[in-house]
Amino acid sequence: MEERYNPQAIEPKWQNTWLETGADRTSDESDRPKFFALSMFPYPSGNLHMGHVRNYSITDVIARFKRMNGFRVLHPMGWDAFGLPAENAAIDRGISPAVWTKQNIAQMRTQLQQLGLSYDWDREVTTCSPDYYRWTQWLFLQFLDSGLAYQKESAVNWDPIDQTVLANEQVDAEGKSWRSGAVVEKRMLRQWFLKITDYAEQLLQDLDKLPGWPDKVRAMQANWIGKSTGARVVFQTEAGAEIPVFTTRPDTLWGATFMVLSPEHPLVPDLVTDTTKDKVEAYKTAAAAKSEIDRTDDSREKTGVFSGSYAINPVNDRKIPIWVADYVLMGYGTGAIMAVPAHDQRDFDFATAFGLDIIPVVFPPDADPETAETLTEAYADNAAGVLRNSGPLDGLTVPDAKQRVIEHLEEKQIGTAQVNYRLRDWLISRQRYWGCPIPVILCPDCGIVPVPDDQLPVELPADVEFTGRGASPLAQLDSWVHVDCPSCGTAARRETDTMDTFIDSSWYFLRYSDATNDGKVFEPNKVNDWLPVDQYVGGIEHAILHLLYSRFFTKVVRDRGLLNFDEPFKRLLTQGMVQSLTYKDPKTNEYIPADKIEVLEKPVSPSTGNKLEVFFEKMSKSKYNGVDPQSVLQHYGADTARMFILFKAPPEKDLEWDDADVEGQFRFLNRVWRLVEGFVSQGARPEVYESGDLSKAEKDLRRATHIAIKEVTEDIEEGYQFNTAIAELMKLNNALNDAKLLDSPVYAEGLQTLVQLLAPFAPHIAEELWAELGHTESVHTSTWPTANANALVADSVTIVIQVNGKRRGEFEAPSDVSREQQEELAKATDAAQKYLAEGTLRKAIVVPKKLVNFVIK
RNA sequence: GGGCGAGUGGCGAAAUGGUAGACGCACCGCACUCAAAAUGCGGCGGGGAAACCCGUGAGAGUUCGAAUCUCUCCUCGCCCACCA
């Protein structure tokens, strides 16, 4: 055996062996329980970053652990391969998106293999490959058939110089095109949507079926869906036009003193008068010109104009002015609100800014309810008090009034109870090339005609030019666009929009169950066998969209009868970011790469000489703080990188990259290596302990071994506590190192156990050491050790003595000590006697085998 | 404004009602070495000679006993946000 631990030699060796023997292929033995371990698949940018390494290391530990525990494990990898960067590469460098993507995938696959990740590469999926996107298209047609895909006019970002549609990411913070620098405009286009709103209630309700998800993610999804219950109330203008509003506070209806319509509201042109027309028009134009950035600006100064018309409050016939203001959004509710300034802060601010009526106040404060001056802010609290100024609601509490008012509205036929969701339908059209083509044909006679199944996939043409200007490359390619209608044969056009890449990733986890099927999207028995995913691991940044879309897809596909479960991901782990030391010039706001700084202890900018700020931040190119996984692998090997990342912080917390700690992990693996080396090189190989009498030292070591088994198992199984699991490995290592018992079978047992427990974390070194210990089969197919209950019991236990809750001493007691004995033994100690003499013993609290607390007065 | 979470040594962190700081990093001392590195051994919250005292963001409470449970407040992070 080599004296030195040399990862550069053993890692490639074992990686090749595993590949050749198919060690990581999915087992089909159906008599074993299944486990589906999944990491969120990456976009193939060409380079693995530390976030990937962290994500995949976590999942790999779980997959390997489950395999050793007798599960058949599905642990696949794939590529979320459509998307903008490939198209940019085509424009900038003339490489075709397909070729560029393919190269990147090849490069990243090699990097992944160097990490020793136990993927079944036979099930690799690539979303940009026709044998995958064929089924993406097929699924789209299922949506279309269910009436869940439809077209609607919607705004896009339009670059007036390049005459092209821009993705949101191509519009910079100032609202300008990344390429031409032109101010981006909004244009209306007919685009495809998926009706996710039909599933809003289910998506909300079923969050309760996901106890294995972080509360945070469930809360974020619930928030995003944004259910509110209230009422729809119809107001009439003096001219007789109806304006429905949605309110969550119908109980405050008697307090409405004006109405506000969104500038985009279709009724606005009908409300203006000769005197207000120009002002309202000007306001509408100004609002339309406002970019997203201005709209989300924090300044929050209320703006608006009077429309010129009045409405009648249907419950009290009060005549109230109708205003137009952009704090009311066309996209939520009905695009119109009733304003109750006394009980809504936004309405209060608006009323204050424009001198509108604030009263009546319809529930406390009590002071002088009729004077607006007594109100300095809206009174929204509804905890106490009863209503007034509210006709039939007078005297009711707010909760009662909320009930009663709905009945009242329905009796009078002016409103109904209504539920509203913040969630909007999903705009999936992209006017881009490198995405999945939407498989429909637009026929002048038949309208929207789905591409027949036997003509799928609609493949992306290869002979395309990329200029970054004009219409999407697909729309510019006449030979591709012009096609006969499959239904009537007339000359028709293909849909040239491609799908949002979130579609590709909304079902890939289903495909892994039957990845190579070329006749079906997947066999029902396979998808129902492997799914749902038992453990999904990925970044918190996907907490809303990707996970919500995937849940939506799963439910729709279920309702098409293609599978039989409600939720795709049983347990979810969202790992924290990987951060590293970042240097920033506080005066110029420039980030400085560490290798440009001469003295790191007192970092100053090399160009300005300013003292730099030093802090941890997420690794990113623009901050020059990235640590390249490749260089870490070359230096320390994959096992050290994995160990460091898993040990440094619990998986869901942010992790601070620290070279010294990486070094520390390398040292730990070296210690394990030397332990085995020392054992093997002395020649004697006693058999692993089975039974027989043991010395005190042997008993202690054996106990340490079995405690490690127990703790490591619980840490992995019960809460992804890989950091404490590794700490337990270190303890066992220390115990073996301290025990001078090389000839004992207990030592052999301990050493062997250490290597097995290490295997999920550091698979290469564990495999090598396992072989050195004389095994011919892989450590990864060995059976995970079980803690022996007898071995865990110590001969004696340490009992802590407390007096009035303060620690005053301790003593050793036999481990089978009874409650009564424990109390008596404790009383007899010097420590206890000293305090017992000072007062009267009131009570003794005995925690068996742990502690005795004397309460003394 | 709403939601979620966090605050413990010089640092990353353990401990989820029972010995606060496991494990590791950094640091200090010793051994080995001509020397350094590597490695091994030992120390390492603060105060104190010691007995002891203090100590988990602040304050109160519950309890025999609180980092842990409850309440109030402070600070930080993330997500959502004129959502009616």
Side-chain angles (χ1 to χ4, degrees):
Chain A
M1 179 175 178
E2 293 285 334
E3 262 182 58
R4 257 189 67 242
Y5 166 47
N6 181 6
Q8 285 74 19
I10 64 169
E11 292 188 352
K13 181 180 83 181
W14 287 112
Q15 283 157 17
N16 287 335
T17 306
W18 295 332
L19 210 60
E20 281 162 19
T21 58
D24 300 323
R25 250 183 234 138
T26 311
S27 164
D28 290 323
E29 290 169 61
S30 56
D31 56 329
R32 292 200 279 159
K34 68 96 181 179
F35 194 90
F36 189 174
L38 185 64
S39 294
M40 291 180 184
F41 67 166
Y43 176 78
S45 62
N47 285 301
L48 212 59
H49 57 69
M50 282 300 172
H52 294 129
V53 178
R54 189 175 196 194
N55 190 165
Y56 309 148
S57 297
I58 290 167
T59 315
D60 196 53
V61 171
I62 297 169
R64 289 182 183 277
F65 173 79
K66 287 290 174 186
R67 276 195 208 102
M68 290 176 79
N69 278 278
F71 288 79
R72 64 192 159 96
V73 171
L74 175 56
H75 186 215
M77 188 31 81
W79 310 99
D80 189 11
F82 275 132
L84 210 48
E87 226 166 310
N88 294 341
I91 298 167
D92 292 341
R93 288 180 265 160
I95 312 173
S96 103
V99 170
W100 185 82
T101 305
K102 225 178 192 170
Q103 286 172 359
N104 286 348
I105 288 176
Q107 200 173 321
M108 285 178 83
R109 193 190 294 115
T110 309
Q111 292 177 327
L112 288 179
Q113 280 162 349
Q114 287 168 355
L115 277 169
L117 300 164
S118 57
Y119 295 128
D120 179 356
W121 287 104
D122 291 352
R123 294 177 186 248
E124 181 178 13
V125 300
T126 307
T127 59
C128 68
S129 143
D131 57 23
Y132 181 88
Y133 71 69
R134 168 184 180 163
W135 300 110
T136 309
Q137 292 175 343
W138 185 83
L139 285 167
F140 173 85
L141 294 177
Q142 299 289 304
F143 277 73
L144 188 63
D145 188 54
S146 294
L148 292 168
Y150 68 96
Q151 282 189 297
K152 186 172 84 176
E153 289 272 323
S154 183
V156 292
N157 302 308
W158 178 257
D159 179 334
I161 291 184
D162 282 347
Q163 297 281 303
T164 193
V165 172
L166 297 176
N168 285 335
E169 309 87 77
Q170 294 172 317
V171 182
D172 67 19
E174 280 90 49
K176 292 180 178 167
S177 166
W178 67 319
R179 187 164 294 279
S180 70
V183 174
V184 171
E185 301 169 358
K186 293 279 178 198
R187 270 220 176 170
M188 297 305 277
L189 271 189
R190 205 166 166 75
Q191 306 192 73
W192 286 95
F193 286 80
L194 293 188
K195 239 188 214 169
I196 192 171
T197 50
D198 272 14
Y199 284 76
E201 187 61 32
Q202 261 190 70
L203 288 166
L204 183 66
Q205 291 297 323
D206 285 0
L207 288 173
D208 292 342
K209 294 181 182 169
L210 300 171
W213 281 36
D215 291 346
K216 184 184 183 178
V217 175
R218 287 191 298 178
M220 281 164 79
Q221 294 226 342
N223 255 327
W224 187 260
I225 295 167
K227 179 177 183 174
S228 22
T229 19
R232 177 189 166 92
V233 183
V234 180
F235 282 63
Q236 286 202 353
T237 64
E238 284 188 307
E242 293 193 342
I243 307 177
V245 302
F246 172 71
T247 173
T248 55
R249 294 301 303 274
D251 53 303
T252 64
L253 196 41
W254 278 259
T257 56
F258 58 100
M259 286 186 83
V260 186
L261 267 57
S262 157
E264 296 89 17
H265 199 287
L267 234 50
V268 170
D270 300 340
L271 301 175
V272 295
T273 61
D274 290 344
T275 50
T276 61
K277 191 173 180 212
D278 292 346
K279 261 186 152 178
V280 172
E281 273 307 314
Y283 185 77
K284 276 180 70 173
T285 314
K290 267 194 194 177
S291 61
E292 295 293 322
I293 306 101
D294 292 335
R295 282 224 166 187
T296 53
D297 190 18
D298 264 353
S299 61
R300 293 186 182 197
E301 284 289 303
K302 290 271 188 298
T303 62
V305 286
F306 176 49
S307 72
S309 295
Y310 291 82
I312 305 299
N313 185 338
V315 291
N316 60 8
D317 294 334
R318 180 182 174 134
K319 180 179 159 185
I320 59 178
I322 303 172
W323 283 65
V324 176
D326 66 0
Y327 84 92
V328 174
L329 310 173
M330 196 55 222
Y332 185 78
T334 62
I337 62 157
M338 65 171 201
V340 186
H343 304 292
D344 182 288
Q345 191 58 42
R346 292 157 304 179
D347 299 343
F348 184 90
D349 293 342
F350 192 80
T352 311
F354 293 96
L356 299 164
D357 285 348
I358 287 172
I359 53 170
V361 175
V362 296
F363 55 91
D366 293 315
D368 180 358
E370 296 304 324
T371 43
E373 287 90 317
T374 61
L375 276 186
T376 52
E377 59 181 7
Y379 183 76
D381 188 9
N382 55 14
V386 295
L387 271 73
R388 58 171 181 266
N389 297 325
S390 297
L393 305 186
D394 281 355
L396 295 177
T397 63
V398 168
D400 289 346
K402 277 186 171 172
Q403 289 279 321
R404 178 71 191 96
V405 72
I406 301 285
E407 294 162 24
H408 180 78
L409 293 173
E410 284 175 353
E411 277 162 27
K412 300 260 172 182
Q413 299 194 341
I414 47 176
T416 53
Q418 193 175 52
V419 174
N420 221 325
Y421 300 91
R422 210 187 67 102
L423 184 70
R424 324 267 173 89
D425 276 343
W426 176 9
L427 170 65
I428 62 157
S429 281
R430 297 291 180 272
Q431 292 71 40
R432 318 227 65 87
Y433 168 82
W434 194 233
C436 175
I438 293 176
V440 299
I441 288 160
L442 308 165
C443 170
D445 296 335
C446 318
I448 293 161
V449 181
V451 173
D453 268 12
D454 60 6
Q455 289 174 32
L456 294 180
V458 176
E459 282 203 48
L460 283 169
D463 49 340
V464 175
E465 250 196 283
F466 295 91
T467 59
R469 293 185 189 84
S472 137
L474 287 180
Q476 294 184 51
L477 192 68
D478 285 347
S479 61
W480 191 78
V481 172
H482 295 298
V483 65
D484 291 340
C485 170
S487 167
C488 69
T490 345
R493 293 175 61 89
R494 279 193 195 286
E495 171 62 68
T496 57
D497 284 353
T498 52
M499 298 183 214
D500 180 1
T501 56
F502 270 113
I503 301 252
D504 309 320
S505 57
S506 292
W507 73 280
Y508 77 107
F509 44 90
L510 303 172
R511 181 69 178 173
Y512 282 133
S513 68
D514 196 9
T516 54
N517 195 330
D518 56 9
K520 271 187 185 170
V521 61
F522 38 68
E523 285 293 342
N525 63 341
K526 290 191 177 171
V527 79
N528 291 331
D529 174 36
W530 281 113
L531 276 282
V533 173
D534 294 278
Q535 181 64 61
Y536 198 29
V537 183
I540 187 76
E541 66 273 20
H542 293 114
I544 299 176
L545 296 183
H546 164 62
L547 291 170
L548 193 68
Y549 293 153
S550 297
R551 297 179 59 221
F552 169 48
F553 255 65
T554 300
K555 289 173 193 305
V556 172
V557 173
R558 175 202 61 195
D559 290 345
R560 295 292 295 187
L562 298 165
L563 49 79
N564 66 7
F565 47 92
D566 299 325
E567 286 289 337
F569 312 121
K570 205 148 118 195
R571 296 223 299 174
L572 174 70
L573 171 59
T574 49
Q575 100 256 2
M577 295 182 299
V578 184
Q579 304 181 320
S580 63
L581 270 184
T582 309
Y583 299 89
K584 185 177 168 186
D585 187 330
K587 289 180 185 151
T588 62
N589 272 341
E590 270 178 314
Y591 292 91
I592 314 289
D595 57 16
K596 293 236 173 101
I597 302 166
E598 282 167 24
V599 188
L600 284 175
E601 287 78 33
K602 282 185 179 171
V604 291
S605 162
S607 53
T608 65
N610 292 336
K611 198 165 173 254
L612 297 177
E613 271 183 90
V614 183
F615 50 92
F616 279 97
E617 190 150 3
K618 183 179 181 179
M619 291 185 186
S620 85
K621 261 189 197 151
S622 59
K623 290 175 181 145
Y624 305 110
N625 63 350
V627 178
D628 182 15
Q630 210 63 27
S631 72
V632 179
L633 290 191
Q634 272 161 23
H635 210 92
Y636 297 104
D639 284 341
T640 297
R642 294 168 57 124
M643 290 290 284
F644 162 76
I645 268 183
L646 294 162
F647 178 66
K648 176 82 179 179
E652 64 282 356
K653 285 192 73 169
D654 288 347
L655 179 149
E656 296 174 354
W657 188 270
D658 178 352
D659 290 332
D661 282 329
V662 179
E663 191 75 45
Q665 284 307 313
F666 187 63
R667 279 206 294 262
F668 170 64
L669 291 181
N670 268 288
R671 281 185 204 122
V672 178
W673 183 274
R674 280 197 302 273
L675 216 51
V676 175
E677 200 272 332
F679 178 76
V680 170
S681 67
Q682 67 148 16
R685 291 196 182 180
E687 289 307 302
V688 167
Y689 176 80
E690 299 273 347
S691 62
D693 289 341
L694 297 174
S695 68
K696 168 89 167 65
E698 285 177 317
K699 267 189 192 163
D700 285 347
L701 180 59
R702 183 144 195 270
R703 190 158 152 263
T705 301
H706 285 261
I707 286 176
I709 297 172
K710 180 170 176 280
E711 296 295 328
V712 172
T713 306
E714 286 176 3
D715 281 349
I716 298 177
E717 228 160 29
E718 284 169 22
Y720 333 105
Q721 295 173 58
F722 309 118
N723 55 333
T724 51
I726 292 173
E728 293 299 328
L729 296 178
M730 290 171 169
K731 280 189 208 169
L732 177 55
N733 180 70
N734 293 345
L736 286 161
N737 191 45
D738 293 346
K740 307 294 175 219
L741 292 169
L742 259 65
D743 295 325
S744 166
V746 168
Y747 190 86
E749 183 194 20
L751 210 51
Q752 174 149 314
T753 303
L754 176 60
V755 171
Q756 280 186 295
L757 298 182
L758 183 64
F761 303 92
H764 310 87
I765 189 176
E767 190 78 307
E768 179 76 15
L769 296 177
W770 189 248
E772 291 291 352
L773 286 170
H775 296 276
T776 49
E777 298 288 315
S778 167
V779 69
H780 301 293
T781 54
S782 71
T783 303
W784 189 255
T786 315
N788 180 310
N790 293 328
L792 291 173
V793 180
D795 289 340
S796 67
V797 287
T798 305
I799 310 285
V800 169
I801 299 166
Q802 288 186 343
V803 176
N804 294 336
K806 292 209 169 192
R807 186 181 183 280
R808 293 299 178 189
E810 61 178 43
F811 66 99
E812 290 292 310
S815 57
D816 58 352
V817 68
S818 72
R819 259 189 119 86
E820 294 72 22
Q821 278 176 323
Q822 184 177 323
E823 187 177 336
E824 289 312 310
L825 287 168
K827 251 183 215 162
T829 57
D830 293 346
Q833 283 301 318
K834 180 180 159 195
Y835 289 93
L836 288 169
E838 288 170 10
T840 329
L841 178 63
R842 287 297 173 87
K843 204 169 17 164
I845 313 276
V846 178
V847 182
K849 298 179 179 51
K850 254 189 188 157
L851 167 144
V852 178
N853 183 18
F854 295 109
V855 185
I856 288 171
K857 250 204 169 166

